[in-house]
Amino acid sequence: MHSQRSRTMAGSMMAILIPIYLVFYGTVIAGINACDSIYVRPPAGLSSIRNQILAANLKKSATEPGQMHVSLAGPEYMKVSWMTADKSVPAIVEYGTQSGNLLQKATGVSKSYTFLTYQSGQMHHVKLGPLLDSTTYFYRCGGFGPEYNFTTPPPSGPSVPIKFAVVGDLGQTDWTASTLQHVAAQGYDVLLFAGDLSYADYIQPRWDTFGQMMSPYANYKPWMVTHGNHEEEQIPLLVKSFLAFNTRWEMPYNESGSNSNLYYSFEVAGVHVLMLGSYAEFDSSSAQYKWLQADLAKVDRTKTPWLIAMLHAPWYNSNTAHQGETESTDMMAAMETLLYQHNVDILFAGHVHAYERNVLTQILTSPQMQSTYAANQCFLLFYCISELHLSLIRG
């Protein structure tokens, strides 16, 4: 599918052609106005893969790395994260551009957590770089185990093509397994995850099985995640919220000037991505709102002409599920105008397990504004499309 839009940006008089490829996956309950018929997917059972993972873990060495995933960690840097049962394993990654010749070494941090009677393994996070763009690196974690590899994303630049995979609400079901297989087949550059990862829901070993289930897909391409309601897992006076999520999935919040792993931003190719927190404070006096103001003020649309936002709870939703939730309505009231003023192009959300697309709505005070706004819209067809190609002309 191809769509074109001409849009004036402050400070830019140059037309730029930006190819962006988006691969969307999620739970499609109904496709309206784009399909010949409505498809209702049957419910999925808990994945048999989870039982296989539990059995495999019993045979694993305590020093062997598991639950590996890689993420972007600032310009020219990647982060490798993994867990070991043995807490004496060092947070060291050996890496290089030739298999078997891992001459570079980086050190990082290790952390663990206690959740009531559950004691996690040791989670290691190591930042590698500076790295070359569009390059395959081979790496080994903690000085133990096999060699793996990842590919860095394309270089920075306003006209550099990039391909995202967009997912949300994966959990650990048979549909999760098939979705991951479909995503892997697309050859994407970066995966964006709109929250609700493991559906552990306080049962902490499910974080371990989820991590192992994701590892074959997340250890070679960067996964950038934000949280959902299922990550909160707070027990007042006993367990602070987002403990497991923050320990296991450390994102580049420091690199983007945020003080919380629950919201951050990053840049890749010609795109600035905002990962917002539906379940962190978001009113105009909050740390998240003030960070967002500062982050948006720093965006240079001549370098990153695309501006994308992601969060968990959708601001607009016609489905019967999750209507009127404060994480949607109040966050929209607090932040929508700010995003609109900065010309955010696309906002992705999860939470509601159905595909739905909306043209951005805004109160427009004059016929002239309405005419200009209508002419500048990019209509995205999500229904029954597994891959969406956009070639937008910016002027």
Side-chain angles (χ1 to χ4, degrees), residues 148-211:
Y148 298 90
N149 68 80
F150 62 77
T151 301
T152 55
S156 300
S159 57
V160 177
I162 184 158
K163 189 172 188 178
F164 292 101
V166 181
V167 301
D169 302 71
L170 278 182
Q172 303 175 56
T173 70
D174 293 329
W175 290 125
T176 309
S178 62
T179 296
L180 289 171
Q181 291 165 8
H182 285 303
V183 170
Q186 302 305 315
Y188 63 90
D189 297 302
V190 178
L191 183 138
L192 306 178
F193 200 143
D196 279 4
L197 282 68
S198 70
Y199 284 76
D201 294 330
Y202 300 90
I203 304 172
Q204 295 305 294
R206 291 184 179 175
W207 275 108
D208 296 318
T209 53
F210 175 80

Side-chain angles (χ1 to χ4, degrees), residues 37-344:
S37 61
I38 294 176
Y39 170 72
V40 178
R41 193 168 72 174
L46 290 177
S47 175
S48 58
I49 295 176
R50 197 161 76 185
N51 292 328
Q52 296 171 21
I53 290 171
L54 290 171
N57 284 345
L58 296 175
K59 303 176 184 178
K60 217 164 107 174
S61 164
T63 59
E64 185 177 341
Q67 306 183 44
M68 285 176 293
H69 54 270
V70 298
S71 55
L72 302 178
E76 301 180 341
Y77 284 83
M78 297 270 281
K79 183 177 290 181
V80 177
S81 301
W82 77 99
M83 181 171 279
T84 57
D86 186 341
K87 295 189 177 182
S88 67
V89 173
I92 294 174
V93 173
E94 301 160 288
Y95 65 103
T97 56
Q98 294 181 346
S99 177
N101 193 26
L102 310 180
L103 300 180
Q104 296 172 273
K105 183 183 290 187
T107 59
V109 298
S110 300
K111 57 181 75 172
S112 61
Y113 70 95
T114 300
F115 194 104
L116 300 181
T117 61
Y118 171 87
Q119 178 61 54
S120 78
Q122 196 79 346
M123 197 74 202
H124 312 277
H125 302 285
V126 179
K127 189 172 175 178
L128 314 185
L131 306 173
L132 300 173
D133 301 315
S134 302
T135 301
T136 297
Y137 282 85
F138 300 87
Y139 69 97
R140 183 170 58 227
C141 299
F144 299 92
E147 182 182 279
Y148 298 90
N149 68 80
F150 62 77
T151 301
T152 55
S156 300
S159 57
V160 177
I162 184 158
K163 189 172 188 178
F164 292 101
V166 181
V167 301
D169 302 71
L170 278 182
Q172 303 175 56
T173 70
D174 293 329
W175 290 125
T176 309
S178 62
T179 296
L180 289 171
Q181 291 165 8
H182 285 303
V183 170
Q186 302 305 315
Y188 63 90
D189 297 302
V190 178
L191 183 138
L192 306 178
F193 200 143
D196 279 4
L197 282 68
S198 70
Y199 284 76
D201 294 330
Y202 300 90
I203 304 172
Q204 295 305 294
R206 291 184 179 175
W207 275 108
D208 296 318
T209 53
F210 175 80
Q212 285 295 94
M213 191 176 184
M214 299 303 111
S215 186
Y217 305 96
N219 65 22
Y220 71 99
K221 289 291 177 74
W223 280 34
M224 307 306 291
V225 307
T226 189
H227 66 276
N229 53 300
H230 286 277
E231 276 74 67
E232 198 161 6
E233 299 184 306
Q234 181 184 27
I235 301 177
L237 304 179
L238 296 175
V239 179
K240 62 183 180 181
S241 57
F242 302 105
L243 177 61
F245 173 78
N246 285 334
T247 303
R248 296 168 182 268
W249 292 83
E250 186 179 275
M251 293 289 111
Y253 67 96
N254 281 320
E255 290 83 350
S256 62
S258 169
N259 64 358
S260 171
N261 194 49
L262 302 181
Y263 48 87
Y264 63 96
S265 68
F266 65 93
E267 292 185 350
V268 59
V271 187
H272 187 97
V273 182
L274 304 165
M275 303 294 275
L276 304 179
S278 295
Y279 300 89
E281 292 185 2
F282 45 67
D283 62 69
S284 59
S285 64
S286 68
Q288 179 176 195
Y289 188 93
K290 292 175 181 177
W291 164 82
L292 179 59
Q293 281 183 309
D295 190 77
L296 287 169
K298 293 184 290 188
V299 175
D300 183 348
R301 300 300 281 264
T302 65
K303 295 179 179 178
T304 54
W306 273 92
L307 182 53
I308 293 176
M310 173 171 275
L311 45 78
H312 184 65
W315 294 351
Y316 293 93
N317 167 32
S318 67
N319 197 279
T320 55
H322 299 299
Q323 286 290 336
E325 295 179 352
T326 58
E327 293 82 9
S328 297
T329 58
D330 290 3
M331 190 178 191
M332 180 179 71
M335 290 186 169
E336 183 184 33
T337 297
L338 183 59
L339 297 189
Y340 180 77
Q341 288 171 344
H342 286 269
N343 296 315
V344 170

